């Protein structure tokens, strides 16, 4: 049932406890039993996998876990079966396109820490990878790694399916064109008939419950809705810490729109006028 993974490899990963299955409350399930999807979302978690990462010229080894919803793996499995049946294995890249595989990168004794830092970061190809200054996503991600490194422990959760606050890269590109014609970031989404923000943070809450239980964590974020979503997901001892960085002339207008929408950004922090 673990989609397009060879059954013997899968069995080995399960035996080594590198491939596990958890329910929405973060409890481990028997990976050999057929999961009851009526009970709620089920995640498959693969890891830990050591990932050496450069932070300010120093190498730190984070433990990477990839996680994906069981329903998404089932769909990939279905596609894999039909491609195999048609002898079209060369089209397997469509499998990866159909799944949102999220990640958590953990440094140090995250389980044992009293109240570690956590960054729940939404995928932003333009900011995180290209280094675009139209938003502050790239610097926020980098700063999160630096802050975690400074404390010796913490976790970055990277939500790969959240591109464009949930509307995807194609629609986000269209909203950039609309923004260049005068609309703000939220108006541009609405012009496409799409929600301002359709992100779901419940899987991030689940992975934190699995890693630490419902214990204190400090969320690096200026977004009160993200905090509320994670609380709704079962994290009752999560608190927000401001995470303002990467402000430039190119993204001031964007940040001002976020402030008006409810992000805890003071005009003084983003260099704008009240
Ligand atoms: N639709 C759209 N999405 C954008 C735009 N700029 C950045 N994004 C996306 O916005 C998401 C980040 O959300 P933000 O609202 O910037 O910040 P946040 O994560 O909610 O809040 P913080 O935790 O304080 O960073 C990423 O998925 C980006 O791809 C834009 O102009 N339009």
């Amino acid at each position: 049932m673990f989609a397009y993974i060879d059954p013997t490899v899968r069995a080995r990963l399960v035996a080594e406890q590198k491939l596990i299955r958890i329910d929405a409350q973060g409890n481990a399930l028997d990976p050999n039993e057929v999961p009851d999807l009526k009970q709620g979302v089920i995640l498959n978690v693969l890891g830990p996998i050591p990932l050496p990462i450069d932070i300010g010229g120093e190498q730190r080894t984070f433990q990477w876990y990839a996680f994906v919803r069981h329903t998404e793996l089932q769909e990939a499995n279905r596609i894999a079966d039909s491609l195999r049946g048609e002898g079209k294995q060369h089209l397997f890249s469509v499998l990866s396109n159909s799944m949102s595989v999220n990640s958590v990168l953990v440094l140090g004794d995250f389980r044992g820490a009293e109240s570690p830092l956590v960054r729940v970061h939404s995928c932003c190809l333009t900011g995180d990878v290209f280094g675009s200054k139209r938003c502050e996503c790239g610097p926020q991600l980098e700063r999160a790694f630096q802050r975690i490194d400074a404390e010796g422990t913490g976790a970055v959760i990277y939500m790969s399916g959240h591109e464009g606050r949930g509307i995807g890269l194609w629609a986000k590109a269209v909203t950039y064109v609309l923004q260049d014609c005068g609309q703000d970031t939220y108006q541009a989404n609405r012009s496409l008939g799409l929600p301002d923000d359709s992100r779901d943070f419940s899987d991030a809450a689940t992975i934190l419950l699995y890693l630490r239980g419902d214990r204190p964590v400090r969320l690096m974020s200026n977004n009160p809705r993200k905090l509320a979503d994670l609380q709704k997901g079962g994290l009752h001892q999560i608190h927000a810490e401001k995470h303002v960085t990467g402000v430039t002339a190119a993204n001031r207008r964007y940040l001002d729109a976020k402030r008006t929408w409810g992000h805890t950004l003071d005009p003084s922090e983003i260099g704008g006028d009240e």
Side-chain angles (χ1 to χ4, degrees), residues 119-128 134-137 140 159 162-168 171-172 175-176 179 184-186 188-189 195-197 199 201 219-223 226 243 254-255 258 261 263-265:
R119 170 71 184 162
V120 179
H121 193 87
S122 294
C123 169
C124 179
L125 182 82
T126 48
D128 299 341
R134 288 184 73 128
C135 61
E136 84 292 34
C137 295
Q140 278 186 312
M159 304 301 291
H162 279 181
E163 178 62 70
R165 296 193 302 272
I167 63 173
K172 177 174 134 179
T175 70
Y176 271 9
Q179 288 176 62
D184 79 23
T185 180
Y186 302 106
N189 275 29
D196 287 6
D197 191 335
R199 286 175 291 174
F201 292 100
L219 180 74
M220 292 179 267
S221 175
N222 315 309
N223 183 352
K226 186 185 287 186
H243 197 57
Y254 167 69
L255 291 171
K258 280 172 63 163
W261 200 75
H263 286 242
T264 54
L265 295 164

Side-chain angles (χ1 to χ4, degrees), residues 68-271:
V68 63
R69 286 191 178 196
H70 191 73
T71 44
E72 298 214 32
L73 268 184
Q74 275 184 317
E75 178 61 8
N77 209 17
R78 194 191 60 72
I79 298 169
D81 280 351
S82 73
L83 288 178
R84 261 194 216 102
E86 294 164 27
K88 292 182 178 165
Q89 283 92 331
H90 60 286
L91 297 178
F92 261 37
S93 65
V94 297
L95 292 175
S96 55
N97 291 339
S98 71
M99 281 199 293
S100 290
V101 181
N102 299 313
S103 289
V104 57
L105 294 103
V106 179
L107 182 71
D109 183 11
F110 187 62
R111 189 176 285 276
E114 212 165 286
S115 182
L117 285 170
V118 169
R119 170 71 184 162
V120 179
H121 193 87
S122 294
C123 169
C124 179
L125 182 82
T126 48
D128 299 341
V129 179
F130 300 157
S132 158
K133 302 288 177 230
R134 288 184 73 128
C135 61
E136 84 292 34
C137 295
Q140 278 186 312
L141 184 60
E142 192 182 357
R143 183 89 189 97
F145 278 106
Q146 289 166 349
R147 288 180 66 181
I148 287 169
D149 180 45
E151 295 201 359
T153 188
V156 173
I157 299 174
Y158 194 84
M159 304 301 291
S160 69
H162 279 181
E163 178 62 70
R165 296 193 302 272
I167 63 173
L169 188 59
W170 183 253
K172 177 174 134 179
V174 179
T175 70
Y176 271 9
V177 176
L178 296 176
Q179 288 176 62
D180 287 346
C181 297
Q183 298 192 355
D184 79 23
T185 180
Y186 302 106
Q187 287 166 339
N189 275 29
R190 280 175 231 143
S191 294
L192 298 180
L194 297 170
D196 287 6
D197 191 335
S198 50
R199 286 175 291 174
D200 174 355
F201 292 100
S202 58
D203 292 358
T206 296
I207 204 73
L208 284 171
L209 287 171
Y210 165 65
L211 290 171
R212 270 183 64 79
D214 182 14
R215 291 171 47 232
V217 287
R218 289 174 293 141
L219 180 74
M220 292 179 267
S221 175
N222 315 309
N223 183 352
R225 294 182 201 210
K226 186 185 287 186
L227 179 72
D229 237 36
L230 292 166
Q231 287 167 333
K232 236 187 301 150
L235 297 167
H236 301 101
Q237 303 189 66
I238 186 169
H239 303 283
E241 280 193 9
K242 281 203 154 195
H243 197 57
V244 185
T245 184
V247 181
T248 68
N251 60 31
R252 227 159 250 147
R253 198 172 145 251
Y254 167 69
L255 291 171
D256 208 43
K258 280 172 63 163
R259 184 178 67 84
T260 311
W261 200 75
H263 286 242
T264 54
L265 295 164
D266 294 331
S268 60
E269 288 170 320
I270 56 176

Side-chain angles (χ1 to χ4, degrees), residues 48-65 104-107 145 149:
I49 301 164
L51 222 56
I53 294 179
D54 182 281
I55 300 174
E58 300 280 337
Q59 187 175 297
R60 299 281 181 258
T61 300
F62 281 70
Q63 299 300 328
W64 172 41
Y65 301 79
V104 57
L105 294 103
V106 179
L107 182 71
F145 278 106
D149 180 45

